[in-house]
Amino acid sequence: MDLIIKFLGLSPTRLASFFDSLDNRIDLLTSLIHCPEINKRDIYIELHTIKGNSRIIGLPEIADLAHEAESILNKESLSSKDGDNIGKLIEEMSQLRAEYNKIFRNIYQKEDIEQELNLYDIISQCVRNAQSILGNHGLYIKEFHCQD
């Protein structure tokens, strides 16, 4: 019930954007974790972004899983068991995401989400995408303001 109340207090467009982004990041993490040479930095960036976005949107369960995976990743050297554990945490995030997304979709109809799209949401999503891309190169957007 708390989750439904939380979802009702958030913009449907922002929630839809969060779930879309989470889907993409989990897919990317899944492919990164199965690469022959694990790039810890790329995995860390994705986990850190999931953790931050999940905390902002109010889903601490997903944020905690991402944090736990980050902690494993921070080890000096990774064993195959560590890689398996990170994979299991990513799978748990994916399962939670599916459950939350189902609840979200049951609360809001597609039309509700589409009608709420506005210029601010579009610009905000573009800025978030730019931040993600720039962050992969060690660059960051310091401030962004959009006023009516």
Side-chain angles (χ1 to χ4, degrees):
M1 184 58 105
D2 289 341
L3 189 60
I4 293 172
I5 292 169
K6 190 180 300 185
F7 282 178
L8 288 172
L10 295 170
S11 156
T13 305
R14 289 210 174 92
L15 279 169
S17 176
F18 167 78
F19 285 121
D20 289 344
S21 173
L22 186 60
D23 285 345
N24 293 335
R25 292 187 185 287
I26 287 174
D27 289 346
L28 180 57
L29 279 170
T30 302
S31 65
L32 287 172
I33 201 76
H34 291 103
C35 286
E37 290 186 26
I38 292 179
N39 185 329
K40 287 172 71 169
R41 183 179 181 274
D42 289 346
I43 295 170
Y44 184 85
I45 288 169
E46 295 304 320
L47 288 169
H48 194 72
T49 302
I50 288 172
K51 180 177 74 174
N53 290 347
S54 297
R55 289 205 197 289
I56 289 169
I57 213 82
L59 299 174
E61 300 85 356
I62 293 175
D64 292 345
L65 290 169
H67 179 73
E68 191 175 339
E70 276 181 334
S71 297
I72 295 170
L73 197 62
N74 281 332
K75 290 182 177 180
E76 193 67 31
S77 61
L78 291 177
S79 67
S80 61
K81 184 178 178 184
D82 291 330
D84 291 344
N85 288 339
I86 292 172
K88 287 176 186 174
L89 291 167
I90 293 168
E91 179 57 32
E92 285 181 53
M93 278 189 270
S94 182
Q95 290 171 359
L96 271 177
R97 182 224 28 95
E99 290 174 30
Y100 292 164
N101 198 20
K102 185 177 178 182
I103 293 167
F104 166 68
R105 298 289 174 195
N106 284 330
I107 294 171
Y108 294 105
Q109 299 299 318
K110 185 176 180 181
E111 297 80 33
D112 296 334
I113 297 165
E114 290 172 353
Q115 287 176 359
E116 193 176 307
L117 278 177
N118 62 44
L119 186 57
Y120 175 81
D121 291 322
I122 294 167
I123 292 170
S124 294
Q125 183 61 45
C126 289
V127 170
R128 283 191 294 278
N129 290 343
Q131 284 175 318
S132 178
I133 292 166
L134 291 171
N136 290 335
H137 299 285
L139 303 170
Y140 301 94
I141 297 173
K142 187 175 182 179
E143 288 186 46
F144 169 71
H145 300 281
C146 188
Q147 298 175 333
D148 292 335

